[in-house]
Amino acid sequence: MDLAAAVLDNRAEEVTLEDEPGRHSLSVSPDPQQHIMRLVVRDVHADPPLLLDAHIKRRRLITELMMALWKPHVLLREPSYQKDRARLQGRHHPWPDFPHKALRALNARWTEDPVLGPSCLR
């Protein structure tokens, strides 16, 4: 969610995602052209670590990031999707406390953004 907020604010941000068996770094930074962002993905444990270095339109990048976040936001409300989630709650689980309220607030910011809005998610 931090990357999506950075795209909305047209500012640099880096996040680290830890998974089995490694760690990935994702960063965004504004390009001198205001409507473009640089997206860099690295595998921290690889040699060479660079996996992706791309320049992407801000509107496309915010759409891709928010759609990826919106999927679990919607699916976690479905009883069939929630099946066995309670059993996994104490283990390493990707969404034990998904930030539904913060995502809706970020979506509202996107909708109100004069350059990138309105959001395509409802």
Side-chain angles (χ1 to χ4, degrees), residues 63 73 88 113:
T63 302
H73 168 70
L88 297 171
D113 189 277

Side-chain angles (χ1 to χ4, degrees), residues 54-119:
H55 289 80
I56 303 172
K57 289 184 178 182
R58 285 178 63 209
R59 185 180 304 266
R60 178 176 178 182
L61 187 54
I62 189 65
T63 302
E64 295 285 343
L65 291 170
M66 289 295 288
M67 289 180 85
L69 291 165
W70 206 257
K71 179 181 174 183
H73 168 70
V74 171
L75 290 177
L76 284 169
R77 291 188 255 157
E78 294 291 323
S80 61
Y81 191 81
Q82 291 178 6
K83 186 178 178 184
D84 293 328
R85 294 295 189 282
R87 182 178 57 81
L88 297 171
Q89 194 72 17
R91 299 181 189 166
H92 176 69
H93 186 265
W95 306 305
D97 297 311
F98 190 86
H100 296 280
K101 187 175 181 178
L103 182 61
R104 286 190 302 270
L106 187 60
N107 191 53
R109 278 189 55 213
W110 180 19
T111 293
E112 298 301 319
D113 189 277
V115 175
L116 302 178
S119 165

Side-chain angles (χ1 to χ4, degrees), residues 3 13-15 25-29 38-42:
L3 290 179
E13 181 73 42
E14 182 174 3
V15 297
S25 166
L26 288 79
S27 64
V28 294
S29 57
R38 180 180 180 200
L39 172 66
V40 177
V41 179
R42 292 182 174 89

